[in-house]
Amino acid sequence: YHTMIYNDWRYYASIGIEDIDGNGLGYMDWGNYWSRLPSSNKAVRFYRPAPSARVKLTPTQQGKFTQAGAAQSFQMDVRNTGDLGADTYDLATASAWPVTLYAADGVTPLTDTDSDSAIDTGSLAQGSTVTITAKVATPGGAVVGNANSAIITARSSVNTSKSKTATLQSAVPAPFAQVYDDYADGAMSLNLIQPSAQVMKKATADGYYGSSMAVALAPNGNFVYLWTKYHWTGSMSVREIEYTLLDHYGNTVRAVSKLTDNSGAGVNTYDYSPSVAVAPNGTIGVAWYRRLYNSSGQSNYNIYFAALDASGNLTSGPTNLTNNAIWGTWDDPNIPRFYSPTIAASDDNRFILSWEKSISNPSYTGNIWYAVRDTNGASVFAPAALTSDNASYTPVINSLTGGKVILTLKNDLKPYYAVINSNGSISKPVSSLGATGTINNYPIDAVLLPNGKVAAAWATTTGVQFSILNSAYALESGPFSAANPNSEDWGGGLSVTTDTDSHVIMIWAAGDNGNLFYALGDSAGAFITPPMFYKQSNTWINTSYNGQGNVPYSLPVGVDGVASLSASLVGGQPGGNALVGIQTTNHGAAIAT
């Protein structure tokens, strides 16, 4: 290593070796770069252990949603990583729910090939890999919150002390809808989750690669889905806010449209972090921040607001709320920067907005500001500072009742909240959510539960936590903690929503691929379903990082979540007959007629 200092800031560095699957041995993790920056002219040598029987079982952790009476299939690779020639690996299962092992085709049952009374992989040459399939059967009476962890063990026959295990998690989920972009296909996607079915709908074609998505549920049942999209326009690079309206089954109501169009920009123009809310009268409010970047390396930051009608037509804005005209480089002192826009609608048809104002002078300081607009876009309460402690960051606003909203924030890397009235007055000043430890840099999200309580949740570097407020918005209990499986770290991007049973539904990202995790709590603070993988990717999953990744989801009465039948009298036929059209639908998509 040569010099790794740049403007008094050290580069991140990760040093180690890894195999073809990305599993590695680390000498120095980037998280320790402050204390273990490598010195100049230093070499690191790794020594391979002595020859031995070995086994590799990947992935070590998987998770899937399931339904009562269903069987979920999980595939794993067993690899002979030993040095002693061929080996046969016995396979054992430990699970409360039945598990059956098959070959890769999922049809051919695995058997005992070496007559030692244990199902095995068959003889596997040194360096070879075989794929096996485990089917985990969900009991017919399983209900929301029921979960299972099946442990699969692969053990060497050459040396029975050498084994590896994998954990397969299954759970019957509570209902919710989730937005994300899995880079495996690049489509802006919407998962519609029910205890009886899970359906994925694509809002765009593959290869779209939007980011910073947000979703809100409209009173008519439509989903308002936004993201930012990067592209070049001439010599300028830009980001624009795009959106689409989807019906309750994920079908397109309004095609992808631009909320901001920067095609004529004279400087690099980036619209980031859209946040969306829908008022009871159907008006859609959107907040975002805009960064302008000129050829001198200077930037300018502002917060914007716009309103749209229920059909997605622009009715007000875009309006600059902060009117900041100051430009500067990152190292310039006293340059205001506006980040983390957030918006919620009150039940009296007003939009409460908030954002972070940060200044480097000379150290980084942050405070929370807020404002109120009506659904016509007019100012109700002019921008004002909520905090002045220079240590408050990443606000998130969510709706309550009685013309109130809850604003969650971080202060000195601990979770806090305040309650704000729709006229701009403070109903409850900034108060602690009870956590004593330090949390990570991602926002805290909150949701009003049907029983009148409020749940506030946040991801940590090891898992997830949540606290419960009573109906008077005072801290009732918490925080309650649960760890990610497989020690997945840097949890972030948590969004929390609820269902009719006042469950606390938490989704967040963690791990090297941004895999999505799910946990289910109740309003007393208990974890009903512990953290589990909900969606995994071989590439990267991009989701919301402002608490707007998911929303409640329920199907109309009489729709079972898998398929519904509808019949309509099309017209009378000769001889007194009638033509009846029968269409089978799966969340609105016709599959048979």
Side-chain angles (χ1 to χ4, degrees), residues 285-288 303-306 321 341-344 351-355 369-373 397 405 407 420:
V286 184
W288 68 95
I303 300 294
Y304 280 79
F305 166 76
L321 299 183
T342 179
I343 187 172
F351 292 115
I352 296 84
L353 304 97
S354 183
W355 56 89
W369 285 61
Y370 73 107
V372 181
R373 293 263 164 169
I397 295 184
V405 298
L407 185 152
I420 302 173

Side-chain angles (χ1 to χ4, degrees), residues 65-67 143-146 171-176 193-198 518 520:
F65 289 149
T66 187
Q67 309 91 40
V143 297
V144 169
N146 288 168
V172 178
F176 67 97
I193 305 299
Q194 286 281 307
S196 56
Q198 297 90 47
Y518 163 89
L520 186 68

Side-chain angles (χ1 to χ4, degrees), residues 410-435:
K410 290 200 307 289
N411 181 283
D412 195 24
L413 292 181
K414 293 180 176 61
Y416 284 77
Y417 74 101
V419 177
I420 302 173
N421 296 313
S422 63
N423 63 3
S425 63
I426 304 301
S427 176
K428 186 177 184 63
V430 175
S431 307
S432 172
L433 281 165

